[in-house]
Amino acid sequence: PTFPMIALIVGAIVNAIAGYILIPKLDITGAAISTTLATFVLMVITLYELIRLTRINPPYKDLIKLFLL
């Protein structure tokens, strides 16, 4: 039960730091980039935990193609 809380705290910290850096320079676009970056970090942390718990080997090539499109 502590993993979701820790992952959300990490995401919030990333969002706060990125927002502090990007918002003064890019205004609302900086806020959007900051939130997107924090959500991506949260997704990567969650994906790592999912792989660790289920011991599956996801198709990394397909995932990379998905993120690059």
Side-chain angles (χ1 to χ4, degrees):
T2 60
F3 172 76
M5 180 182 63
I6 292 170
L8 286 172
I9 290 171
V10 169
I13 291 171
V14 168
N15 192 16
I17 292 171
Y20 182 76
I21 294 169
L22 295 175
I23 290 173
K25 296 178 182 179
L26 302 174
D27 296 323
I28 193 73
T29 304
I33 293 170
S34 169
T35 302
T36 303
L37 179 64
T39 304
F40 180 76
V41 168
L42 184 60
M43 185 207 56
V44 168
I45 292 169
T46 304
L47 182 63
Y48 171 77
E49 183 70 5
L50 177 69
I51 292 168
R52 189 183 70 79
L53 289 174
T54 60
R55 295 186 178 115
I56 61 170
N57 293 319
Y60 290 108
K61 290 181 182 179
D62 293 334
L63 289 173
I64 291 171
K65 288 179 187 176
L66 179 67
F67 291 125
L68 294 178
L69 291 178

